[in-house]
Amino acid sequence: MTSQQPVGSLWRIQIAAAASRDQASALLEKAMPLLAQGYGRVAPSVESYADSGKEIFRARFVGFADGDAATRACSALQAKAINCFVVR
């Protein structure tokens, strides 16, 4: 299940792939204050997928205006020791 993505925005960043929805949500809650300003209408999203019969949960932020904004946000998280990468 995915959080609703703001219309027109295909840019997002992923901070983790977790074993449970709760774990992915907790990681997003920890990182959210670092993205509170300067990135527009960014929202946390937990997306599930199956890998070798196991359900995995992607912890992502969605809704960046463009690739530059997503890259800046990822750099800000990395400066605080939170790994991430830009996804389109």
Side-chain angles (χ1 to χ4, degrees), residues 1-16 28 35 39 41-49 58-75 77-78 83-88:
M1 183 178 275
T2 303
S3 297
Q4 190 169 5
Q5 185 170 338
V7 176
S9 178
L10 299 176
W11 293 97
R12 48 200 189 274
I13 59 173
Q14 181 169 323
I15 64 167
L28 290 166
L35 300 178
Y39 299 103
R41 294 181 50 199
V42 174
S45 173
V46 175
E47 303 171 11
S48 66
Y49 71 100
R58 294 178 174 129
R60 293 181 168 177
F61 288 101
V62 301
F64 292 94
D66 55 36
D68 288 340
T71 299
R72 284 192 316 272
C74 197
S75 293
L77 291 175
Q78 289 170 340
N83 292 324
C84 64
F85 57 90
V86 176
V87 181
R88 179 158 195 205

